[in-house]
Amino acid sequence: MSEANAGKALTVQVEGSSFARIPIRTRVVMPGDDLDDFIREYASDVVRDGDLLFVTEKIVAITQGRSYLVEDIKPRKLAFFLSKYVTRTPYGIGLGMPETMEMALRECGTLRILFAAAVSAVTKLFGRKGDFYRIAGDKARAIDGPTSGTIPPYNKAVVLGPEHPREVAEHLKALLGGVPEVAVVDINDLGGNILGSTLDRAGEKQLVAILKDNPLGQGHQSTPLGVVRAV
């Protein structure tokens, strides 16, 4: 069994059961890479019957051609304005820069982002948080901006969320002979979301709890894949 990433526990207990979260170290995924080939190369010899393979949304999106260099994004004035009011965290810039906000406007539509921003501005006055992303949706939440801890060249890129993540998960399960369940996940040190999977809702809820502390890490670990295995 592989070792955990630095600062992360290999096993975790959820609902009275123990699970190993095994990170799979890979090379850096680049635009133009084929996701099927990548999964075959790194995951096919690791997964066993009863496992769950979790794949970060970022590598799915990159292989779909959904990464953009910051220098190639030309934000509109509205993006500059809205990005000023986004709360930044140590775990990621989110939509707190004009380039990521511009991509959110393109992905989600200007009216939806404006509505989300307006509602959020009001509810924040009453101490309520999170309404912006609840209204803007998963496409806005999944946008990754550049950070100093990100592996190059993505420390200078904006990566959108993947397209059709549930279909991707189903395809990868078939690719691996139906052995593991598969989930496309968006996780960071603040928590996570399951964007698409071959699990039912109860299984997805359990997986969020299993991955709550982000066992793949947030920076240079180069582990965009992992396996959950009952122990």
Side-chain angles (χ1 to χ4, degrees):
M1 189 175 291
S2 300
E3 294 182 357
N5 279 323
K8 306 294 180 179
L10 184 63
T11 61
V12 66
Q13 280 210 336
V14 174
E15 299 172 356
S17 299
S18 294
F19 299 91
R21 297 90 48 83
I22 306 166
I24 301 175
R25 191 169 300 280
T26 73
R27 61 175 173 82
V28 177
V29 180
M30 300 298 291
D33 279 341
D34 183 83
L35 182 62
D36 287 7
D37 291 343
F38 190 84
I39 295 297
R40 286 193 195 98
E41 180 178 357
Y42 290 103
S44 60
D45 292 336
V46 178
V47 294
R48 305 175 186 170
D49 190 19
D51 284 351
L52 182 141
L53 174 70
F54 60 105
V55 181
T56 58
E57 92 291 353
K58 197 163 190 172
I59 67 164
V60 177
I62 289 167
T63 59
Q64 292 175 338
R66 290 171 63 77
S67 63
Y68 302 84
L69 291 175
V70 169
E71 63 189 39
D72 293 334
I73 302 170
K74 308 302 179 187
R76 68 196 82 172
K77 291 182 179 179
L78 180 60
F80 279 94
F81 174 76
L82 292 175
S83 65
K84 294 178 182 178
Y85 297 96
V86 175
T87 301
R88 301 188 183 194
T89 76
Y91 307 109
I93 199 166
L95 303 185
M97 63 182 292
E99 289 81 5
T100 51
M101 182 61 75
E102 173 62 29
M103 298 311 293
L105 290 165
R106 297 182 193 180
E107 275 284 281
C108 307
T110 301
L111 290 178
R112 185 166 188 167
I113 293 297
L114 284 173
F115 180 60
V119 171
S120 177
V122 173
T123 56
K124 277 183 179 178
L125 296 175
F126 298 94
R128 177 166 160 166
K129 298 179 180 179
D131 282 320
F132 177 87
Y133 286 108
R134 274 191 284 271
I135 296 169
D138 286 340
K139 284 186 175 181
R141 186 183 290 110
I143 294 173
D144 280 340
T147 64
S148 59
T150 304
I151 294 175
Y154 305 108
N155 58 336
K156 297 181 180 179
V158 176
V159 182
L160 306 181
E163 292 185 317
H164 311 300
R166 182 170 295 278
E167 289 84 349
V168 170
E170 292 170 350
H171 171 75
L172 293 180
K173 179 177 179 176
L175 181 76
L176 294 170
V179 171
E181 300 297 334
V182 179
V184 178
V185 302
D186 176 14
I187 54 174
N188 57 45
D189 288 343
L190 292 176
N193 296 287
I194 311 303
L195 301 185
S197 80
T198 58
L199 302 168
D200 58 19
R201 288 192 176 184
E204 289 190 349
K205 183 178 179 181
Q206 183 184 61
L207 182 58
V208 169
I210 292 170
L211 303 180
K212 185 178 180 181
D213 64 335
N214 189 12
L216 295 184
Q218 193 68 14
H220 288 272
Q221 287 85 356
S222 193
T223 50
L225 310 173
V227 167
V228 171
R229 181 174 295 159
V231 294

